[in-house]
Amino acid sequence: MEKLLLLFCNWSTLGVCAALKLPQISAVLAARSARGISLPSLLLELAGFLVFLRYQCYYEYPLLTYLEYPILIAQDVLLLLCAFHFNGNVKGAAPYMAVFVASWFVLPLQKWIIDLAMNLSTFISVASKFAQLQYLWKTRDSGTVSALTWSLAAYTCATRIITTIMTTGDLTILTRFVIMLALNVWVTTTVLRYRKTAVKAE
């Protein structure tokens, strides 16, 4: 029974993450606008994903417990490029990409670097969610922000709590997923709230 639950959580997480950002990317492309999307939030999220993936690779954790992260990173990069494009500054993405690529090689140079980065990545990811929340609170407009994307992100955090408990038991990772679950639910409800407000105003 435990093996079946683990398999379900791993594969459903992978399946959800394969399409996680697609509703958001689709909404941005359809509107030809990145309105409502916080660029700092997106950059911080990408940094958090990158550190998390490097940490899992460094400690050689089971592949199925983090296989979705290369997919999430690819989708975030695409969304980031869309955001820069619709803001009229595609070249502005280049310095950020250079930093992300360089950090991939710097992080595993020393154990203390990767461990510190992993602890900081939780704060980075929290900052990412709060940047998006702050943007929503300020504008009171969810714009092209996809509630489906954020609710799917909450689902993957819930499944990863289960798989972490059942496999590695890594407390740092477990704490990260619990916090991310709470914040993803918070962003989802905020997006829905301001969507309703916008509909009533019309």
Side-chain angles (χ1 to χ4, degrees), residues 8-179:
F8 172 77
C9 288
N10 279 328
W11 286 106
S12 68
T13 300
L14 192 57
V16 166
C17 286
L20 183 67
K21 299 285 181 173
L22 297 184
Q24 184 63 78
I25 293 167
S26 176
V28 168
L29 290 174
R32 300 190 63 78
S33 165
R35 184 174 60 91
I37 294 172
S38 166
L39 200 56
S41 171
L42 194 54
L43 288 165
L44 289 167
E45 180 180 70
L46 189 53
F49 284 166
L50 188 75
V51 170
F52 188 80
L53 175 62
R54 202 63 175 118
Y55 178 87
Q56 298 267 31
C57 292
Y58 182 85
Y59 283 105
E60 298 179 346
Y61 283 154
L63 186 62
L64 275 178
T65 62
Y66 64 90
L67 191 57
E68 70 271 19
Y69 278 86
I71 300 167
L72 288 173
I73 288 169
Q75 291 179 15
D76 256 2
V77 167
L78 183 57
L79 187 56
L80 186 67
L81 291 173
C82 286
F84 272 106
H85 172 70
F86 290 121
N87 289 338
N89 184 23
V90 179
K91 291 180 181 177
Y96 297 107
M97 294 303 169
V99 169
F100 289 142
V101 170
S103 65
W104 180 261
F105 297 101
V106 172
L107 287 170
L109 290 178
Q110 295 286 333
K111 183 181 181 298
W112 70 266
I113 296 175
I114 193 77
D115 287 345
L116 178 63
M118 181 59 194
N119 286 316
L120 289 175
S121 83
T122 299
F123 292 106
I124 290 169
S125 295
V126 167
S128 161
K129 311 299 180 193
F130 273 109
Q132 183 61 61
L133 282 166
Q134 188 177 28
Y135 190 88
L136 290 167
W137 294 332
K138 183 180 177 182
T139 62
R140 295 183 171 274
D141 178 11
S142 56
T144 58
V145 180
S146 169
L148 179 59
T149 291
W150 286 96
S151 59
L152 290 174
Y155 171 80
T156 61
C157 287
T159 56
R160 281 304 175 213
I161 289 169
I162 295 167
T163 59
T164 302
I165 291 169
M166 294 176 73
T167 54
T168 64
D170 190 313
L171 191 59
T172 305
I173 292 174
L174 190 60
T175 303
R176 174 190 167 87
F177 282 128
V178 169
I179 294 168

